[in-house]
Amino acid sequence: MKFLRADIYGFGKWVDTTFDFSKASLTTFYGENESGKSTLQQFILFVLFGLPPRKRNFYKPKNSNRVGGMLTLEDERIGPYTIERVEDELHCLLPNGKNEDERWLKEKLKGLTRGIYESIYSFSALDLTEIRSMKADQLSDVLFSVGLSGATNIYKVEKQLDNELGELYKKTGRKPLINQQINTVNNLFKNMTETKKKEEEYRNKKTLIEQLIERGKEAEKNVTSCQEKLLTKEKIVHVIPLLHEHQSLSSRLEEYHKTIRFPEDGVNRYQTIKTILLPIKSEYAILQTNKTQYEAKIAMLEEQLLDEQTYQLAESIVNEKHEYVIHCREIEELEKQLDHTNSLLNEQLQHVNLEKNELVDIILPFHLESSWREIREMNVELQRENNKLAEDQQVITQEMNRLQKEKSIIDQNKLPMEEVNQLKLEMKKSDVYDSELTNYELQQKRWLKWKKKRLKTANITLIMASIFFVLLFFVGLSIANYTVSFFSIIVLGIGMMQFFFVKKSIKDMELHTTKRPNRTTISTTKRDEYEKIIHQQEQWQSDLLMIEKEEKRLHFANLQWEERKRLFEQREQNYVDRLETERYQYPFLERIDPAHWGELLRIVQQIKQYIHEQTQDEKQLHLLQEKKEQFEHKLVHLATEIDAEHSMITIEEVEKMIESNYSNLQLVDQYKQLLGQTIKKQGELTEKMTVYQEEIASLFSIAKVQAEEQFFQIAKELEEKQRMTEQLEKIEQQLLAMFSNEWKEQLISKEMNFNELEVEILQLKDEIQTYQKEISDTNKQIAAVELEINQMEMSEDYSEAAFLYQMEHNKLNELAKKWTMLKIAQTTLFHAKKSYQAKHLTEVIAFTSTYFQQLTNGKYKKVFAPTQATSFQVEANNYIRYTVDELSQGTIDQLYVSLRLAISKAMSEKYIIPLMIDDAFVHFDDERTDQVLDVIKQIAKGQQILLFTCKKEIARKLHADHIVLGVHAFN
């Protein structure tokens, strides 16, 4: 993948702005702080991955309503394509014209997210700042995290998990939350056990009240069961009349046959068929009469028709009438057109002074016009090129003369090289004297300062020795101890010896100090004059080199002019040969200038067109005259066939004869059609009558009768049976509305006794009263026991203890669940690190070693990943290994940059994604900056890099574009 172009509609400070990334693989943007470098990076990430509404509003421009733009990318397989994202809408415009959505883009990015891109393919100075604030014992873990994922996120997550696990639980700790909660739960459990013994009597009361409640429920169930039975018996008493009616209808239905065969709706169907058959029979009789009349008229009209041969001849004459009239008119028009064409042809021939026979056999190919146009254009081009050659020769000559004059002027004013070197030598001696004088003055200042300090020390020492001498001398006299006095004299002697020794050493050093250098300097005015002369001489030397280059260029231009002249002469000869060839093929061109050949060709083509039209018109006229004679011969033959009075009949008479015959034919066809329709209608009526008669026979057959009276008798019996069946069904529906289907069948099949039902109803009412009394007694007992329980429940010691225990135990479970989740996350992260380390870390560390060696200019040659026993280490070129905390801060920065570049390189071998770097080298010195820029240029050969910087030195070295002005920042 490669970024080609960014068109920003509106994003942060950028509105209607375009950035081009296609000029080189390494694109550098320079700009001061707040110039929009980070905003451009965020725009690229926004187009690729989008932003939530709140973050998107942060980048909404002040002077535009649209947030978004287009990013053009290039893919190796599909070529360049454009991603347009405005607000929440995204369109991917492909080279084949298709328009894809965000799902296609996610598939194209192969799972790449914004977080992964920022971790692997983007880093800035903020990452280095975070590394600089790390402690020594944390640094190795952070670098290892970067080597795994390209960012410090893994290290942060691990530290956060360790802290949260420590806050929740420790084996020997007391402050963690789970440890405290375990103590609390244990204390509450002891309290709950002590109060539990007081609740035994309470449980017995609870058991008794449950038994009473069960007894009451059993009595209520018995009452309900009795009431249901009572309700059923009372319903049966009410439906006894319906049951008697049902039995009566059932016995009457048994008198009929089990099945009566009769067609469904047979009576109505029979009456309908009889009604339909009557008009059909009447219509059939009328059709038979019409058939006889049509046959008589057809025979009469057929006797009046023409025979087939005569009719065809007459019909052909009528059909050719229109064509005959047109031929006559065309013959007249062709004769006029021939006269007009002859007139135009003669006029054109006179205009060009040519004869018709000269042009008849001439062939004008389709390419002739372009050939003559090329000859005319070649003539114009040759004249123009001849003029251009003359002008160029004059310019070359003038330039050569100008250069000779300038060269002669410089040669006259230029000094010999020995004099220029002498002037440079004098200036150099002057510079050496100035430098020596400065050093001398500095040494003198240091000497005077040291001299003053030594004298001061010697004086202080002498004064102290004198004071000590006086004190010791008087003390010795006062105590009559001459040893002390003698010692004081020795002290005074040592102080005086030290003072004189310092004075002597200062004098000796003054003899050996550097003497003031001899004055060999030159004045400032003279130095400026020398510099001006040297600068002028160097400028003239540069001008001479430029003049020599110009002379070589003009010499080469003169050679090119001679070559052009030679080619011009060849083209001119080709033009003359082609001109002679055309005049040989077309002799009439001898007296015509080539500039007018195109106009002559159009006239000759027009004449050839007139000759062609004249020939075609003459052929057409002869053909039309032959067709006219053939038509008139047919009229004579038709008159002979019909025995006409004249030898040739008119076309109008033929048309009347055709019309009369056609009218008779139409009448014959009409009567035949009517006859056919009549016969067809009779057949249809016969089929209809047959169908209805078969339907009547089918009805009689189903009812097993032969006559109409028997058919109606069976229909009456069937109607009576259906009425009784409907009454039975109605009674059964009423019973089902009051009883279940099982009860209904029992009631229908049994004989019900009214007196027995009354006795059973009275017994059920007595049972209900007995059960209701039992329920009342049970409720009184329940009320008494509940009163005792309420008095016991006034004391809530056990309930409160149980409640507190359960609450704290639930809280302990929640903390344990949270600790388990964190432990699982920590274990999962550990295994993920191990898996990634086995797959990719070796490759990442290999790239890191290469980049780190280049960045440190070979001082360090290898990087070692941390193990369980060792931390992150680097190996110097003397094979000594250092841990990260033993390196300088600048070297740690270089190691971090190497890791970031290595993880990007390793991932780019699978997915080539552009790398974005934002002022990541702002803390580097000049030497380290040059080294890292060399590595960046090397990586840019295989991977596109966008580098953003605010350092002028980096921008100057990489020829950066100014992000605001859009031009090179240091042109």
Side-chain angles (χ1 to χ4, degrees), residues 812-938:
L812 177 61
N813 290 336
E814 290 296 325
L815 291 173
K817 183 178 179 182
K818 183 177 179 182
W819 183 88
T820 303
M821 293 173 64
L822 293 173
K823 194 66 178 177
I824 291 172
Q826 186 183 46
T827 305
T828 304
L829 181 60
F830 174 77
H831 288 300
K833 285 174 61 180
K834 288 293 183 183
S835 175
Y836 185 90
Q837 182 176 1
K839 292 181 180 179
H840 302 289
L841 188 60
T842 303
E843 183 182 9
V844 172
I845 293 300
F847 284 127
T848 303
S849 298
T850 302
Y851 294 146
F852 191 53
Q853 184 177 12
Q854 295 178 12
L855 291 180
T856 59
N857 201 16
K859 184 176 180 181
Y860 298 95
K861 65 178 186 177
K862 199 168 185 180
V863 178
F864 296 92
T867 62
Q868 293 182 352
T870 61
S871 62
F872 226 103
Q873 294 182 337
V874 297
E875 185 176 274
N877 55 9
N878 57 1
Y879 300 99
I880 297 176
R881 294 189 181 183
Y882 299 92
T883 58
V884 177
D885 55 336
E886 294 175 334
L887 301 176
S888 66
Q889 188 61 55
T891 307
I892 292 173
D893 290 346
Q894 288 177 313
L895 179 57
Y896 178 79
V897 170
S898 300
L899 276 170
R900 291 306 301 267
L901 295 176
I903 189 68
S904 174
K905 176 67 175 177
M907 293 299 103
S908 295
E909 292 187 357
K910 294 183 179 179
Y911 312 110
I912 300 178
I913 306 294
L915 179 63
M916 290 194 294
I917 304 174
D918 185 6
D919 266 339
F921 323 122
V922 71
H923 302 300
F924 284 16
D925 56 26
D926 293 340
E927 182 179 358
R928 285 180 171 139
T929 300
D930 292 338
Q931 291 166 351
V932 76
L933 291 182
D934 291 339
V935 174
I936 291 296
K937 292 175 182 177
Q938 178 183 349

Side-chain angles (χ1 to χ4, degrees), residues 289-341:
T289 304
N290 292 338
K291 177 183 175 184
T292 305
Q293 294 177 356
Y294 293 152
E295 290 174 347
K297 289 183 179 180
I298 289 171
M300 180 185 67
L301 289 171
E302 285 180 346
E303 293 177 357
Q304 299 177 3
L305 294 174
L306 295 172
D307 62 90
E308 185 67 22
Q309 185 177 0
T310 304
Y311 177 76
Q312 289 180 356
L313 180 61
E315 189 176 24
S316 66
I317 291 172
V318 172
N319 291 336
E320 294 174 2
K321 172 192 173 183
H322 181 66
E323 188 177 354
Y324 172 76
V325 174
I326 292 173
H327 289 164
C328 293
R329 190 180 302 115
E330 288 179 351
I331 288 171
E332 182 179 355
E333 291 177 355
L334 282 173
E335 289 175 348
K336 293 180 181 179
Q337 187 171 344
L338 280 171
D339 293 338
H340 179 68
T341 303

Side-chain angles (χ1 to χ4, degrees), residues 158-254:
E158 287 180 329
K159 286 300 181 185
Q160 183 179 355
L161 289 174
D162 289 338
N163 293 336
E164 291 184 4
L165 287 170
E167 290 175 359
L168 287 175
Y169 177 74
K170 289 182 181 178
K171 290 183 178 180
T172 59
R174 294 184 179 180
K175 291 185 178 181
L177 297 177
I178 292 179
N179 300 61
Q180 297 177 9
Q181 193 65 24
I182 289 173
N183 295 331
T184 302
V185 170
N186 290 335
N187 294 332
L188 290 174
F189 181 75
K190 291 178 182 178
N191 185 29
M192 184 181 68
T193 305
E194 293 174 357
T195 57
K196 186 176 180 181
K197 297 176 182 179
K198 301 177 182 179
E199 301 295 326
E200 292 297 332
E201 185 181 356
Y202 175 80
R203 286 202 186 92
N204 294 333
K205 295 290 184 182
K206 279 287 188 181
T207 303
L208 176 61
I209 199 169
E210 288 175 359
Q211 293 174 353
L212 292 173
I213 291 172
E214 284 296 324
R215 190 187 303 169
K217 288 181 179 179
E218 187 66 27
E220 288 177 354
K221 287 181 182 179
N222 293 332
V223 170
T224 303
S225 176
C226 292
Q227 287 176 345
E228 290 176 354
K229 291 178 181 179
L230 177 63
L231 180 62
T232 302
K233 297 297 181 181
E234 290 175 348
K235 287 181 181 179
I236 292 172
V237 170
H238 288 297
V239 298
I240 286 177
L242 288 175
L243 294 174
H244 291 163
E245 185 180 358
H246 186 278
Q247 293 172 356
S248 174
L249 290 172
S250 298
S251 61
R252 289 175 61 189
L253 278 174
E254 290 177 356

Side-chain angles (χ1 to χ4, degrees), residues 780-796:
K780 291 178 181 178
Q781 292 178 5
I782 290 172
V785 175
E786 283 181 345
L787 179 61
E788 295 176 0
I789 290 174
N790 289 333
Q791 292 175 354
M792 295 179 69
E793 285 179 347
M794 295 300 291
S795 175
E796 297 180 350

